[in-house]
Amino acid sequence: MVRQKVRAQTVALGFGLVDQTKIVTAASELARNTLDYGGGGSVTLEVLESDQRVGLSLKFTDQGAGIANIELALQNGYTTGGGLGLGLGGAKRLMHEFEITSEVGKGTCVTTVRWRQQS
Amino acid sequence: MERIPILQMGQFLLVTIQVDMHDRLALALQDDLTNRIVKTSASGVLIDISSLEIVDSFIGRVLGNIATVSQLLGAETVVVGMQPAIAITLVELGLSLSGVRTAANVDTGMRLLQTVLGVPFHGGLNANP
Amino acid sequence: MSLSSTSKIADLLEKNETELLRNWLTELEASGLRRDDLMRSTELNQQCHEFLRMFRSAAQHENFSDVQAPEWGSVRQLLTDISRDRAQQGFTPSEVATFIFSLKKPLFDQLKRELAQQNDLLIDSIWTVTDVLDQLGLWTTEVFQQTREKVILRQQQELLELSTPVVKLWEGILALPMIGTLDSARTQVVMETLLQQIVETGSQVVVIDITGVPTVDTLVAQYLLKTVEAARLMGTDCIISGIRPQIAQTIVHLGLDLSGVITKATLADAFAIALKKRQLTIVSKASQSV
């Protein structure tokens, strides 16, 4: 499952426990969206390294129905599937960078990054 | 399918979640608990999540639902032992579980239930004259 | 043309190393960079010698336009070490950069002598040397800055740990006296420390005292609310104390809702509430005996 993979990767990168939990939770939210609304898709984990910092990037892609109004979808409490409507917006708050592209009828792609706290 | 065991202690039900909760397991727990409350006419439910590694919005919602449903059936729910990292994450997520009572561990959770329900305290260790 | 200027420089470095070194040291001395109070002259000699040696071998590749290229790796490493040492020894950044820049004059002198008859080549060579030495000089400044930044970062972290103590007031009652301005990085650390302490001490009540916080803006208030919220999820009650009159007014002005939180003006008031929550009372001995 996605959670274990992401967890293992965050541990390997030396993220703190709180950061680990945030990333895994965000991954769990996004993976659920991919499954429930996108009809399944793929997840790509990528380690980002620059001079100053290390981060983990998660990319979720699906070929589902797509999102007509992204702004609305990111709002708290907005849902089309009977959930709490916290998944997408919540995941965004848990991460540092968040990018979403979607085309109705073609699918959705969410890329999100969290950087490690400098030690 | 695997299920999370529900223990009965007097008029309370105790659930200790020790596995990674996936969505179906959480829904099964909600059903099982509801049935058990009716069958045992329990007045309190303790859910220990101290070994749970993440709580996302789905599991959070299930916990909230359990609390609401049990209340309808006459039982109070207390969620105990939430880890700091999870608490921070849930708040950041925007999920405050406002309808759910919380306690630090099973012991304080039990005491909270007794206070809320007005049941005399009869824990051997802490019995005060 | 450009190719021959680079090969000329490489050639010149090869031939006249000893003379260059001597002139460079004189130049350094003239520019007042020999700080005998901060480092020994033998050390400086050693460093100059080392630099020329590596500069020469890097020059063999005849790539003077990009010092970030791999063949300049050992030169950069040497400069990194020198710059870092000097940052710690107390040199200023310009003194460190002058170390490199002062090599220009001796090099130009030699080029002038060697290429007296070939004006175009001379200008070309001088340009190449200027370019590469400027790049290397900037590199030392960059490293210098990085070293300083690391020091600042370390101090910040130390300050952070110093300024966020979690203290135990009573069995089951914790206090967090917050001092100074809160930013998002600090708030996260404070929040995590507090929640961790709650678990470790099994406390049921926490008093967050903000007497030492000069201003409360929307962000700080939001953070406070989040902490209270997270603590509640863990089964712990939070009381916020030390809200000064002007802060109370700011909160009203900003339209923030702190209604879900117990707030008290002083730490003493908050402590009284905390004791009450734990069903404890403080009784004066005098009144007891009456």
Side-chain angles (χ1 to χ4, degrees):
Chain A
M1 221 172 131
V2 177
R3 283 185 211 161
Q4 272 97 25
K5 279 244 173 79
V6 175
R7 168 79 68 179
Q9 189 64 257
T10 55
V11 172
L13 287 177
F15 276 99
L17 183 63
V18 174
D19 279 350
Q20 284 174 28
T21 311
K22 284 185 178 174
I23 297 170
V24 175
T25 308
S28 174
E29 300 291 346
L30 294 171
R32 180 173 299 108
N33 280 348
T34 305
L35 283 176
D36 289 359
Y37 301 104
S42 66
V43 190
T44 321
L45 303 188
E46 197 187 338
V47 179
L48 304 178
E49 265 174 289
S50 66
D51 307 344
Q52 304 291 326
R53 50 192 194 165
V54 175
L56 182 66
S57 156
L58 310 171
K59 186 177 179 186
F60 293 81
T61 352
D62 67 57
Q63 275 79 45
I67 303 170
N69 187 338
I70 290 175
E71 218 167 288
L72 194 62
L74 282 169
Q75 262 173 32
N76 267 357
Y78 178 82
T79 179
T80 55
L84 285 174
L86 287 174
L88 215 49
K92 185 178 176 184
R93 280 192 294 279
L94 291 173
M95 304 294 278
H96 289 136
E97 284 166 31
F98 193 88
E99 201 179 58
I100 177 165
T101 51
S102 185
E103 209 173 318
V104 176
K106 286 206 174 148
T108 306
C109 175
V110 178
T111 312
T112 183
V113 180
R114 192 170 171 93
W115 298 100
R116 196 178 68 198
Q117 235 47 32
Q118 254 163 37
S119 50
Chain B
M1 200 184 110
E2 64 172 327
R3 285 195 126 76
I4 293 166
I6 302 168
L7 308 175
Q8 188 176 359
M9 292 174 71
Q11 47 186 323
F12 299 147
L13 296 178
L14 174 65
V15 182
T16 307
I17 304 173
Q18 283 173 337
V19 290
D20 187 24
M21 277 268 262
H22 48 83
D23 297 3
R24 241 176 314 152
L25 194 59
L27 288 176
L29 176 68
Q30 189 180 335
D31 284 351
D32 289 355
L33 253 179
T34 317
N35 291 334
R36 279 294 282 275
I37 293 170
V38 174
K39 213 158 73 186
T40 60
S41 41
S43 58
V45 178
L46 278 170
I47 305 176
D48 179 13
I49 58 166
S50 54
S51 39
L52 210 56
E53 283 190 336
I54 77 156
V55 173
D56 60 9
S57 69
F58 190 87
I59 300 174
R61 179 157 63 118
V62 168
L63 289 176
N65 285 353
I66 288 176
T68 320
V69 171
S70 345
Q71 191 132 44
L72 285 173
L73 299 171
E76 285 292 333
T77 305
V78 181
V79 171
V80 304
M82 188 183 292
Q83 296 298 321
I86 292 178
I88 293 172
T89 306
L90 274 185
V91 172
E92 210 74 54
L93 206 56
L95 201 66
S96 54
L97 298 181
S98 48
V100 184
R101 289 177 199 279
T102 51
N105 50 47
V106 174
D107 190 44
T108 49
M110 194 80 86
R111 239 176 290 175
L112 177 67
L113 272 181
Q114 277 154 344
T115 322
V116 171
L117 298 168
V119 192
F121 194 65
H122 44 249
L125 264 174
N126 296 291
N128 283 326
Chain C
M1 191 74 156
S2 142
L3 197 123
S4 59
S5 79
T6 53
S7 65
K8 194 73 219 164
I9 296 164
D11 185 46
L12 196 131
L13 284 168
E14 185 87 63
K15 270 197 319 210
N16 304 328
E17 197 181 333
T18 337
E19 199 195 335
L20 255 179
L21 178 63
R22 201 174 54 239
N23 291 344
W24 188 16
L25 284 168
T26 325
E27 190 61 32
L28 280 172
E29 199 159 352
S31 68
L33 202 92
R34 257 192 61 188
R35 293 279 301 270
D36 289 338
D37 53 330
L38 295 176
M39 68 187 292
R40 281 190 312 251
S41 58
T42 44
E43 201 184 336
L44 185 65
N45 280 9
Q46 180 64 31
Q47 285 174 351
C48 291
H49 186 73
E50 193 82 344
F51 175 79
L52 277 182
R53 199 170 54 79
M54 287 180 176
F55 188 61
R56 191 192 64 206
S57 63
Q60 302 298 318
H61 297 272
E62 296 186 17
N63 170 13
F64 287 95
S65 54
D66 180 19
V67 295
Q68 299 302 325
E71 54 263 35
W72 288 93
S74 55
V75 175
R76 285 204 312 273
Q77 188 53 49
L78 176 72
L79 287 179
T80 305
D81 294 344
I82 291 178
S83 186
R84 195 173 294 149
D85 284 351
R86 295 193 178 191
Q88 273 151 13
Q89 283 161 340
F91 281 88
T92 68
S94 26
E95 278 172 331
V96 177
T98 312
F99 170 72
I100 295 302
F101 293 149
S102 59
L103 180 59
K104 279 185 189 174
K105 191 164 177 286
L107 254 176
F108 289 172
D109 282 347
Q110 294 217 344
L111 284 168
K112 208 158 70 187
R113 225 173 333 139
E114 291 272 325
L115 304 170
Q117 311 304 318
Q118 299 153 275
N119 261 337
D120 283 357
L121 193 57
L122 176 63
I123 289 167
D124 249 21
S125 305
I126 286 184
W127 167 245
T128 312
V129 169
T130 305
D131 188 34
V132 74
L133 287 182
D134 282 355
Q135 286 188 52
L136 290 173
L138 286 176
W139 172 257
T140 63
T141 313
E142 222 167 275
V143 174
F144 190 91
Q145 194 123 349
Q146 278 170 12
T147 314
R148 282 297 175 87
E149 262 160 28
K150 265 184 207 148
V151 173
I152 293 171
L153 203 71
R154 207 190 56 230
Q155 285 172 342
Q156 260 177 354
Q157 269 162 353
E158 279 167 7
L159 209 65
L160 204 67
E161 281 155 24
L162 280 178
S163 59
T164 51
V166 180
V167 291
K168 185 173 166 183
L169 291 182
W170 202 265
E171 196 59 48
I173 304 176
L174 285 183
L176 177 75
M178 294 209 289
I179 293 159
T181 319
L182 295 168
D183 58 34
S184 63
R186 207 185 134 193
T187 52
Q188 200 187 345
V189 177
V190 174
M191 190 166 173
E192 285 171 23
T193 333
L194 177 66
L195 299 181
Q196 200 53 50
Q197 287 287 321
I198 290 175
V199 175
E200 277 164 23
T201 58
S203 299
Q204 281 128 42
V205 188
V206 173
V207 180
I208 301 177
D209 185 70
I210 58 167
T211 314
V213 179
T215 52
V216 171
D217 57 13
T218 329
L219 229 96
V220 174
Q222 249 170 13
Y223 149 69
L224 284 173
L225 284 174
K226 277 184 188 172
T227 311
V228 172
E229 207 43 53
R232 194 197 72 84
L233 285 173
M234 294 165 57
T236 304
D237 287 324
C238 273
I239 305 168
I240 298 178
S241 73
I243 302 181
R244 283 180 281 154
Q246 63 267 42
I247 290 184
Q249 288 193 7
T250 327
I251 290 175
V252 174
H253 265 294
L254 290 171
L256 295 168
D257 183 20
L258 287 178
S259 58
V261 188
I262 310 169
T263 49
K264 284 285 155 208
T266 66
L267 182 59
D269 291 344
F271 185 49
I273 299 265
L275 286 173
K276 209 162 148 193
K277 277 187 178 287
R278 298 275 292 120
Q279 293 170 341
L280 298 164
T281 41
I282 296 178
V283 182
S284 146
K285 270 194 178 170
S287 66
Q288 210 172 28
S289 56
V290 171

